[in-house]
Amino acid sequence: MSDTPVAEMSFEEAMAALEGVVGQLERGDVPLDQSISLYERGAELKKHCETKLREAEEKVAKITLGPDGAPQGTEAL
Amino acid sequence: MVLGFVDLRSMVRGKTKQVWRDMSDLFEDPTPEKQTSGNAPEFSVSEIAGAVKKTIEGAFGRVRVRGEVGRVTLARSGHMYFDIKDDRALINAVSWKGQVSKLAVMPEEGMEVIATGKLTTFGSQSKYQLTVDAVEIAGEGALMALLEKRKKALAAEGLFAPERKQPIPFLPEIIGVVTSPTGAVIRDILHRLSDRFPRKVLVWPVAVQGDACAPQVAAAIEGFNAMTPGGALPRPDLLIIARGGGSVEDLWGFNEEVVARAAAASDIPLISAVGHETDTTLIDFVSDLRAPTPTAAAEHAVPVRAELLAWTSEQEARLTRALTQGLSRRGERLRDISRGLSDPQNFVNTAQQRLDRWSSQLDLALRTEVSRKRARFQEHAGAIRVASLQGGITQRRADLEKLAERLASAPGRYASRKKEDFSKQSNRLRSEIVVRHVREASRSAEGLFQRLSDRATRQQQDRLQKLEALDRLRQTLGYKATLARGYAVVRGDGDLVTSKATAEQAAALEIEFADGVLVTGQAGAPTAQPAGRKPKIIRGGGEEDGGQGSLF
């Protein structure tokens, strides 16, 4: 069980961790105390994944280029 | 293309006809006066060259000429001279320094090209030539050959190696799209992205065909890479380079080396989606992933959010189920195991029963014991009478008083008796008597000691005298003293010789005088050797042996 704080995980990391936790718990060979802390971690990971999924927003911008071809800013597409 | 070529030829043919007509106008007028050729106007060489130049330039203007490139010379001045030929004719072509740098395709010998430029003359050498300002590859076959050549060169550099490919991020935060800002491609991409997983998208507008395409696309890839993550213009974590379908020529910008090199150098993972599924451009070989279409690129770029949400919920359900099952399984097992345990009350009950039994017996036993003790007590108590006890006490008290009286007088009596004894004895004790005794004893001791020492001295002197006398006697009695008076001792063969007969028999004779031994006859006879017997001989050689010898 990794010790990386859940809040710092990328979506992909959290996903992999959640998968691991579920698998471990489903195998059922975890001591009772540990299975409860595993469950709590799983719930936290799930929440983190869900937050990452829900906060997705669409934002499209076009880069405006200066006369030298370097990007200057953005404008709506 | 072939049509175009035919068109050009017919056009050229048309124009030529017209030129021809113009020329006929110029020269046909004096035809009636053919005989009077002497009157024909004269042109200088320069005039006719100038006229030809003017005519040719005016008649053709800008033309497109298709042919195979012949010998190519890049002069030190920066101008480029080359030939364009087909199976029957050859035309000189020149690109001035300023034009060379703008050429999209550098002519190479053997390349099938369409050169665009002005037809003009070079009067000083009676030549006509084409001033070329644009060169295109003519025909797909030629383009493909060129593409193959580039592919081989880049592959040899290892730019296509699979180990160079970077993984495409699972869920990029920002996606950079390099494409035309207008048209179906960007719409398709944005549409598919928002369907699957809305993300931040930065579009870098570029020309997707024509000469500007390649440098702009390369600059866009480099520009995205130069951005800082999280900056005002945040650096994307995935790039999509996209273009819709088109002819090989339309897509040609994506076959240019600058584009391929920029894509290969990109640190940001890059998906290429140029043209239709069947079109393969150079950038597809260096990109980290080749998508068959722009829509497919969007599909590769992001996962489907709805699916992920479903997945997340499913994980949660599995998590809860697994925990609940774990708990209920354990609970069941606990019940199973605890069935095996007998009721603890049973243990207690047995013990309780024993306790009850013993405690009831305890009461009874105590009562029995008390009554038994009481019986014994009464047995003995019966023998005791108060009166007899009191009688005993009175008798003992009288005895005690008597003894006490005696005890009080006893110490006084004993002390006075002892005092009497002591004064009697002390009267008899006198110090003068003791002193006298001591003095007498010491006097007699001195006398005895004097006598003892005198006696010892006398005895020692007597013994010394006796010893000296005896020594004198010993000297007179020894044979050595006799030797000094003129006698000698004769030894033969080690034995004492006392007769002439023995002396005659002896091999050698030793004669001992007072001052030494003389050896006669055979000196060192072996028989004279035994040393062990020598003291005996000497002793035996004495005149008086026997009793006197024993004195020594």
Side-chain angles (χ1 to χ4, degrees):
Chain A
M1 191 152 101
S2 136
D3 291 332
T4 319
V6 171
E8 287 169 27
M9 284 185 170
S10 73
F11 177 79
E12 203 176 353
E13 284 169 335
M15 232 175 110
L18 179 55
E19 219 159 21
V21 165
V22 170
Q24 221 176 329
L25 211 53
E26 281 180 342
R27 276 201 306 279
D29 50 6
V30 188
L32 186 64
D33 288 356
Q34 211 181 324
S35 71
I36 287 167
S37 61
L38 259 180
Y39 173 81
E40 281 166 357
R41 187 176 165 81
E44 203 184 345
L45 286 165
K46 181 255 167 188
K47 207 178 134 204
H48 184 67
C49 283
E50 212 168 47
T51 313
K52 286 254 166 199
L53 290 177
R54 298 229 181 268
E55 77 192 5
E57 55 162 338
E58 190 176 47
K59 208 169 128 190
V60 179
K62 187 177 83 171
I63 290 174
T64 52
L65 299 172
D68 56 347
Q72 274 187 325
T74 55
E75 61 181 32
L77 186 71
Chain B
M1 212 37 66
V2 176
L3 265 173
F5 185 53
V6 170
D7 285 353
L8 178 77
R9 273 214 295 236
S10 62
M11 183 196 76
V12 169
R13 218 175 287 132
K15 291 231 174 189
T16 315
K17 256 180 212 157
Q18 197 193 333
V19 169
W20 195 242
R21 215 181 303 125
D22 292 348
M23 297 277 256
S24 352
D25 291 348
L26 195 64
F27 297 114
E28 271 172 27
D29 269 352
T31 316
E33 300 144 52
K34 233 174 197 169
Q35 291 89 350
T36 58
S37 57
N39 289 335
E42 287 177 1
F43 292 96
S44 72
V45 176
S46 297
E47 278 170 349
I48 191 76
V52 168
K53 187 181 179 82
K54 215 165 118 193
T55 310
I56 286 182
E57 286 182 0
F60 291 95
R62 271 176 71 79
V63 288
R64 296 176 77 223
V65 181
R66 178 183 178 138
E68 187 192 329
V69 177
R71 192 173 42 84
V72 180
T73 317
L74 191 62
R76 201 167 298 164
S77 59
H79 308 321
M80 185 164 66
Y81 305 95
F82 56 101
D83 299 332
I84 304 173
K85 58 184 181 182
D86 61 15
D87 51 351
R88 278 171 295 173
L90 181 145
I91 185 170
N92 294 142
V94 59
S95 272
W96 308 120
K97 191 181 169 183
Q99 295 170 321
V100 171
S101 59
K102 286 183 191 138
L103 289 182
V105 176
M106 291 301 271
E108 285 170 37
E109 193 167 346
M111 201 184 255
E112 187 81 8
V113 295
I114 298 166
T116 310
K118 270 173 71 179
L119 199 62
T120 182
T121 63
F122 184 46
S124 54
Q125 281 199 4
S126 185
K127 276 177 157 181
Y128 71 97
Q129 63 186 23
L130 188 67
T131 311
V132 176
D133 52 32
V135 177
E136 316 158 31
I137 302 287
E140 284 192 19
L143 282 173
M144 284 306 156
L146 184 64
L147 179 59
E148 279 311 310
K149 206 170 127 190
R150 281 182 189 162
K151 242 161 66 180
K152 231 172 263 171
L154 294 186
E157 278 184 48
L159 293 189
F160 303 165
E163 57 269 22
R164 282 183 57 97
K165 308 284 183 210
Q166 306 181 75
I168 304 301
F170 180 75
L171 181 56
E173 287 292 324
I174 303 164
I175 302 168
V177 182
V178 177
T179 191
S180 161
T182 56
V185 171
I186 187 66
R187 297 283 148 223
D188 286 351
I189 291 175
L190 292 177
H191 190 253
R192 189 50 59 100
L193 282 180
S194 92
D195 269 0
R196 291 170 67 87
F197 206 126
R199 295 277 81 183
K200 296 191 183 73
V201 179
L202 274 177
V203 181
W204 191 302
V206 290
V208 289
Q209 67 186 75
D211 297 345
C213 170
Q216 282 185 13
V217 170
I221 294 171
E222 283 155 12
F224 270 138
N225 272 283
M227 290 175 178
T228 43
L233 275 175
R235 185 187 201 237
D237 30 30
L238 176 68
L239 293 185
I240 298 176
I241 315 298
R243 193 215 186 279
S247 68
V248 176
E249 287 86 350
D250 289 341
L251 304 181
W252 192 252
F254 298 90
N255 284 324
E256 292 294 354
E257 207 176 319
V258 270
V259 172
R261 287 197 183 278
S266 173
D267 286 331
I268 306 173
L270 188 148
I271 301 178
S272 66
V274 175
H276 293 305
E277 193 160 0
T278 48
D279 303 321
T280 303
T281 51
L282 201 57
I283 194 174
D284 293 328
F285 292 98
V286 291
S287 65
D288 297 308
L289 180 75
R290 186 216 169 206
T293 61
T295 305
E299 281 164 8
H300 283 297
V302 291
V304 179
R305 182 165 69 153
E307 284 174 7
L308 288 177
L309 279 168
W311 178 87
T312 312
S313 310
E314 190 207 315
Q315 294 299 312
E316 188 189 30
R318 279 173 65 185
L319 196 62
T320 313
R321 196 164 56 236
L323 185 72
T324 320
Q325 275 174 1
L327 284 175
S328 61
R329 202 184 57 241
R330 282 186 172 88
E332 210 160 291
R333 193 161 151 64
L334 178 64
R335 279 191 294 281
D336 284 353
I337 292 169
S338 55
R339 261 199 290 281
L341 279 175
S342 65
D343 188 356
Q345 195 63 48
N346 292 348
F347 296 106
V348 178
N349 286 348
T350 321
Q352 183 76 50
Q353 195 180 350
R354 278 173 64 205
L355 175 66
D356 289 348
R357 210 181 81 223
W358 286 114
S359 54
S360 66
Q361 284 188 0
L362 179 66
D363 214 27
L364 188 67
L366 182 63
R367 233 171 285 146
T368 318
E369 180 68 5
V370 168
S371 55
R372 206 163 52 84
K373 295 273 185 199
R374 180 174 290 150
R376 267 188 69 194
F377 169 70
Q378 278 165 352
E379 215 172 278
H380 287 91
I384 298 172
R385 292 289 177 278
V386 176
S388 70
L389 276 178
Q390 274 175 342
I393 289 169
T394 323
Q395 177 67 43
R396 294 258 158 80
R397 185 175 287 154
D399 289 356
L400 181 63
E401 276 164 4
K402 244 181 269 171
L403 281 168
E405 270 166 41
R406 283 175 59 194
L407 181 65
S409 57
R413 268 204 320 273
Y414 183 76
S416 57
R417 203 170 59 223
K418 285 293 172 188
K419 211 177 262 170
E420 270 169 46
D421 287 1
F422 173 69
S423 51
K424 244 186 267 173
Q425 292 290 337
S426 61
N427 287 344
R428 287 168 55 196
L429 190 65
R430 296 250 187 66
S431 63
E432 299 97 323
I433 299 170
V434 177
V435 174
R436 201 176 56 228
H437 273 307
V438 170
R439 207 177 289 150
E440 277 170 10
S442 93
R443 231 187 340 254
S444 75
E446 269 168 34
L448 278 169
F449 184 72
Q450 187 63 47
R451 279 168 60 197
L452 175 66
S453 105
D454 285 356
R455 181 77 175 240
T457 319
R458 219 168 26 243
Q459 247 179 15
Q460 198 174 354
Q461 280 171 350
D462 285 355
R463 284 192 178 125
L464 211 60
Q465 281 166 4
K466 222 183 239 170
L467 179 66
E468 278 165 7
L470 279 168
D471 191 52
R472 272 194 303 275
L473 182 64
R474 180 189 67 81
Q475 281 178 9
T476 55
L477 289 180
Y479 84 98
K480 294 263 187 196
T482 318
L483 292 181
R485 292 202 311 268
Y487 292 92
V489 177
V490 179
R491 290 183 185 89
D493 296 340
D495 291 326
L496 194 66
V497 178
T498 50
S499 65
K500 182 179 156 267
T502 350
E504 278 170 346
Q505 278 169 6
L509 289 174
E510 291 171 44
I511 306 166
E512 189 186 354
F513 296 97
D515 57 350
V517 176
L518 177 74
V519 180
T520 61
Q522 275 175 307
T527 45
Q529 288 308 308
R533 289 161 63 192
K534 219 168 180 180
K536 229 183 188 173
I537 298 162
I538 290 169
R539 213 181 292 148
E543 282 177 340
E544 293 105 1
D545 45 355
Q548 292 295 345
S550 70
L551 192 67
F552 296 93

